[in-house]
Amino acid sequence: MGMLKNFIACVLLVVLFLQNSCFEAGLSANVTYDHRALVIDGKRRVLQSGSIHYPRSTPEVWPELIRKSKEGGLEVIETYVFWNYHEPIRGQYYFEGRFDLVRFVKTVQEAGLFLHLRIGPYACAEWNYGGFPVWLHFIPGIQFRTTNNPFKEEMKRFLAKIIDLMKQENLFASQGGPIILAQVENEYGNVEWAYGVGGELYVKWAADTAVNLNTSVPWVMCQQEDAPDPIINTCNGFYCDGFTPNSPSKPIMWTENYSGWFLSFGYAVPFRPVEDLAFAVARFFETGGTFQNYYMYFGGTNFGRTAGGPLVATSYDYDAPIDEYGFIRQPKWGHLRELHKAIKLCEEYLISSDPTHQKLGAKLEAHIYHKSSNDCAAFLANYDSSSDANVTFNGNVYFLPAWSVSILPDCKNVVFNTAKVISQRNNGDHPFAQQKNVNELLLASSAFSWYEEKVGISGNRSFVRPDLAEQINTTKDTSDYLWYTASIHVMPGQGKEVFLNIESLGHAALVFVNKKLVAFGYGNHDFANFLINKKIELNEGINTLDILSMMVGLQNYGAWFDVAGAGLFSVILIDLKNGKRDISSGEWIYQVGVEGEYIGLDKISLANSSFWKQGSTLPVNKSLIWYKTTFLAPEGKGPLALNLASMGKGQAWVNGQSIGRYWSAYLAPSTGCTKKCDYRGSYDASKCQKHCGQPAQTLYHIPRTWVHPGENLLVIHEELGGDPSKISLLTKTGQHICSFVSEADPPPVDSWKPNLGVVSSSPQVRLACERGWHIAAINFASYGIPEGNCGSFRPGACHMDVLPIVQKACVGQIECSIPVSSAYLGVSAGACPGLLKALAVEAHCSI
Ligand SMILES: *[C@@H]1O[C@H](CO)[C@@H](O)[C@H](O)[C@H]1NC(C)=O
Ligand SMILES: *[C@@H]1O[C@H](CO)[C@@H](O)[C@H](O)[C@H]1NC(C)=O
Ligand SMILES: *[C@@H]1O[C@H](CO)[C@@H](O)[C@H](O)[C@H]1NC(C)=O
Ligand SMILES: *[C@@H]1O[C@H](CO)[C@@H](O)[C@H](O)[C@H]1NC(C)=O
Ligand SMILES: *[C@@H]1O[C@H](CO)[C@@H](O)[C@H](O)[C@H]1NC(C)=O
Ligand SMILES: *[C@@H]1O[C@H](CO)[C@@H](O)[C@H](O)[C@H]1NC(C)=O
Ligand SMILES: *[C@@H]1O[C@H](CO)[C@@H](O)[C@H](O)[C@H]1NC(C)=O
Ligand SMILES: CC(=O)N[C@H]1CO[C@H](CO)[C@@H](O)[C@@H]1O
């Protein structure tokens, strides 16, 4: 009886929480912590959080992304702050457009969610230079991230700047704002050893400095075992269930739970199965965690030259629950949403006690949270990577699939198992993964005009040095490019056939001899360094050597990453007759940037200029060429993507805005992908990959707000050679969505009415369209033992046509749900005798 009463209380509390979302704008909140959890206004809280980095999307879509996060069960949004874009020139600040931090925080507030502000100011984040402004590198005597006065002064100034900005706008919780947590530094514990005693002192200084800035909310330092009190040290990783903070007075918090992994040019596309992600999250809360953040919940796009490096791709999709184009990724989003609801049902138990542990067998265990001696919630875990098991707990037998956790909010009924995915499934895991509903528009090749760039130094901006210059010091990252030019004299009788041996710190280089392209070399994300060794033909007399060294994102991670350097460091000619000629320390002429950049060919204002040439034959397969065309943006609300599969390497602009770097010519290794990735067993970033042997990325996101009715300008700078006549513009005109639910599956977590004995709820097929689209048609509906997957469903040996019933419930709706029960579906209970029946539905959403 006591159990029943408490259950009603628990359910009521949950309803209350979901409605108020635990937060009311304008009311000041007092945020502290104890050894179990963050404490908000005296109450411990169990919180699900997700990362959304504001500049990786446009402000117009922030409200939708945040709404989808909230519907997915998040209560906190987490973001880094990107110093290099907020202070592009020392003392000159920028907080506009995609970098309008205040607007982002207020958007989170308006949605009724909390915010975790990770100021850093080191961000890492696969972001250019880890978020540090490049000018910082040129302050005399500076050393980053250690006990160094010039660095500490700059860091403190920026921390104070951001905190003042937030205070002025009343954005901290104590002021009625959404910010409940702040972060100083970032994963410094991973590299601290490399900074010696200076590193240890720096950690203390950073902690002190942060605390003295009086934010009134707790500070965290992630991956920082020695974080001084009162700073909370938090865990980052694929799993954090073994984590303990450095003091018994601090709660167990997980600030980066990788929902997938980032993409680099030349690599296969990583993904993380939701069964494993849900397992990691459930294990974390099972073993005492109370705050967890998905890194990323929405990854987005590295527009412009914001991608870090080396070679981080433009898509930052991250296999996150919301994909790069803002669509819900199923079944990831839906399965995690059910998980969040199941954990929410346990919140009152989680905050009432520490877990008690019960061993249930080898790699089988339970953790129990009590509110009173006979009132509990439990998590049952099977962390064996291959063997399913039946366990006995509390007098009942439970089936636990390998690598799964079951959640029992009453220590009796299983409302959720991490390995059982009962969620809407979409056709493909990427909006353009299937041809269905995709409208592809080939750009007319006759409309292209072009500009062929000069090889080598093109104007009066050159300068001379007697050695090979380090690239970042030379370009100050004002451009990806640096021309290195030298003359090679060949005396009569000297060998004309020589080997040209070039060594570079990164990231890629085009080599021209006498203005002819002879070689292209490049590194990769793990090893930026590369070597070019090429046999070349020289002429007697003077020959020119022009080398275009290219950067693809500044390093963002590692000890002393800021001084890693880039560009050429050795150029040697090897002539079999006369031996080696090291020209590294001869006379070199330099130019920062390429000709098209100086002209400003990406600018709208030059769209009609005479620089652009037109003719009957469009040059293809040409290096160092700019292309220009116009296109009409397809109507509708569907996302836009440019297919650059036919291009080599470069950058593209739409109406003067850079949509990022592309590198379609760099194929991933042909091995390392598995057809089906077994989610069971420890995950790492290379465990599950797809698109081996293909470019990492061929589709490039164009935000809807960057195009307008009428003609839009597309400019492309191609470095290697490509065929622009094959470029196409894709949009999506609708969605195909599916669901497959068995009559043996549990009902949705939110329809669960424990021990009330009133409702016997069935499992449900639930379908929902996005972007305001409606269910226009049901393409498939079968109750029985349907076969196949979303997009290829077919009737099985037992098939009952329930199309009219499904049509009636769904067509014309934005979303619908259908109980998977013979009674509802009008089928006699005895149909398909001896078989477990399932309902499979495929629907088509469109305008
Ligand atoms: C905030 O909460 C803590 C602990 O719950 C309490 O000690 C402190 O007095 C509160 N501060 C304010 C300003 O209410
Ligand atoms: C923080 O608060 C302390 C004590 O009230 C005060 O001495 C200090 O000046 C404040 N610092 C800032 C940056 O506001
Ligand atoms: C668990 O129990 C069920 C029902 O008794 C049985 O069919 C199944 O084989 C058992 N599974 C394992 C892994 O022991
Ligand atoms: C380079 O040439 C441009 C135009 O040809 C001129 O405007 C500029 O002043 C020159 N710069 C230098 C440093 O001579
Ligand atoms: C870059 O310049 C700085 C001084 O501004 C110097 O300390 C550093 O060694 C240079 N880096 C390289 C790789 O040459
Ligand atoms: C370029 O010319 C076209 C057609 O004449 C015109 O519509 C467009 O506005 C011009 N663009 C600019 C930037 O002048
Ligand atoms: C461009 O280069 C590719 C690869 O080398 C080749 O297959 C193709 O025929 C070339 N196209 C043209 C038009 O030269
Ligand atoms: C705590 C933890 O698991 N950290 C891991 C986070 O992910 C990186 C990249 O895979 C690993 O190197 C860390 O060990």
Side-chain angles (χ1 to χ4, degrees), residues 167-189:
K167 281 185 185 170
Q168 276 163 24
E169 301 281 345
N170 294 320
L171 293 174
F172 283 105
S174 58
Q175 304 174 293
I179 304 173
I180 54 164
L181 267 182
Q183 176 175 296
V184 63
E185 248 297 338
N186 183 46
E187 294 194 339
Y188 189 69

Side-chain angles (χ1 to χ4, degrees), residues 58-61 640 655 657 702-708:
T58 51
E60 293 76 13
V61 300
L640 300 176
N655 294 326
Q657 302 247 40
I702 305 174
R704 268 271 168 201
T705 51
W706 290 3
V707 298
H708 47 69

Side-chain angles (χ1 to χ4, degrees), residues 604-605 607-608:
I604 299 178
S605 57
N608 291 336

Side-chain angles (χ1 to χ4, degrees), residues 478-734:
T478 54
S479 167
D480 279 356
Y481 310 103
L482 180 62
W483 277 110
Y484 292 73
T485 293
S487 297
I488 306 168
H489 295 247
V490 177
M491 305 294 184
Q494 268 186 331
K496 292 185 206 158
E497 268 199 351
V498 300
F499 280 94
L500 177 61
N501 187 293
I502 299 170
E503 284 183 86
S504 171
L505 288 171
H507 304 146
L510 281 166
V511 183
F512 299 83
V513 172
N514 294 326
K515 309 291 174 186
K516 280 221 172 66
L517 182 63
V518 298
F520 174 54
Y522 49 94
N524 64 38
H525 175 72
D526 294 297
F527 302 98
N529 291 44
F530 63 93
L531 176 80
I532 295 173
N533 202 354
K534 181 85 189 171
K535 191 162 150 194
I536 57 166
E537 302 270 343
L538 296 174
N539 302 324
E540 202 170 289
I542 293 177
N543 297 268
T544 57
L545 174 64
D546 294 293
I547 305 171
L548 183 63
S549 178
M550 311 187 267
M551 302 214 49
V552 190
L554 268 61
Q555 179 64 263
N556 60 267
Y557 182 75
W560 304 108
F561 75 85
D562 50 300
V563 290
L568 311 186
F569 67 90
S570 162
V571 180
I572 295 171
L573 296 169
I574 303 164
D575 165 359
L576 293 180
K577 263 201 245 161
N578 303 301
K580 271 190 184 179
R581 243 169 101 185
D582 188 343
I583 59 170
S584 308
S585 47
E587 181 181 280
W588 287 90
I589 310 171
Y590 291 91
Q591 176 182 293
V592 173
V594 292
E595 196 190 4
E597 290 179 308
Y598 284 116
I599 299 171
L601 290 176
D602 54 310
K603 305 268 180 327
I604 299 178
S605 57
L606 288 194
N608 291 336
S609 84
S610 58
F611 284 110
W612 292 110
K613 295 185 182 44
Q614 262 195 309
S616 48
T617 16
L618 177 67
V620 299
N621 279 7
K622 260 202 68 56
S623 61
L624 299 185
I625 183 164
W626 292 70
Y627 295 105
K628 184 205 81 158
T629 191
T630 56
F631 65 90
L632 296 175
E635 284 175 19
K637 294 175 184 166
L640 300 176
L642 203 59
N643 186 342
L644 295 176
S646 66
M647 302 303 285
K649 175 184 184 304
Q651 200 181 158
W653 292 261
V654 169
N655 294 326
Q657 302 247 40
S658 169
I659 61 168
R661 300 187 185 96
Y662 65 88
W663 195 343
S664 316
Y666 197 169
L667 304 185
S670 57
T671 56
C673 291
T674 46
K675 212 162 179 161
K676 203 166 180 294
C677 182
D678 186 352
Y679 68 84
R680 300 173 307 170
S682 271
Y683 180 81
D684 65 57
S686 60
K687 181 177 171 185
C688 304
Q689 301 182 14
K690 55 189 177 183
H691 303 335
C692 281
Q694 295 173 43
Q697 187 180 358
T698 53
L699 299 182
Y700 293 81
H701 181 200
I702 305 174
R704 268 271 168 201
T705 51
W706 290 3
V707 298
H708 47 69
E711 295 207 322
N712 293 278
L713 176 69
L714 171 67
V715 172
I716 290 170
H717 178 215
E718 171 60 46
E719 300 157 3
L720 305 181
D723 185 353
S725 71
K726 297 202 171 67
I727 295 175
S728 59
L729 182 68
L730 284 81
T731 189
K732 207 151 161 77
T733 55

Side-chain angles (χ1 to χ4, degrees), residues 279-352:
F279 171 76
V281 172
R283 281 290 278 166
F284 178 69
F285 288 94
E286 174 192 341
T287 55
T290 50
F291 179 103
Q292 181 269 140
N293 177 69
Y294 294 99
Y295 189 100
M296 305 293 295
Y297 197 75
F298 163 79
T301 310
N302 292 316
F303 296 113
R305 300 197 299 123
T306 59
L311 276 74
V312 169
T314 292
S315 169
Y316 199 65
D317 178 84
Y318 229 95
D319 195 26
I322 304 176
D323 72 32
E324 180 179 5
Y325 296 87
F327 281 93
I328 283 170
R329 172 171 277 124
Q330 297 286 31
K332 199 168 241 184
W333 183 89
H335 190 52
L336 296 174
R337 178 184 196 229
E338 292 294 291
L339 168 65
H340 302 150
K341 287 180 185 169
I343 293 170
K344 196 84 198 161
L345 286 172
C346 305
E347 176 163 11
E348 289 302 306
Y349 299 84
L350 290 168
I351 62 176
S352 299

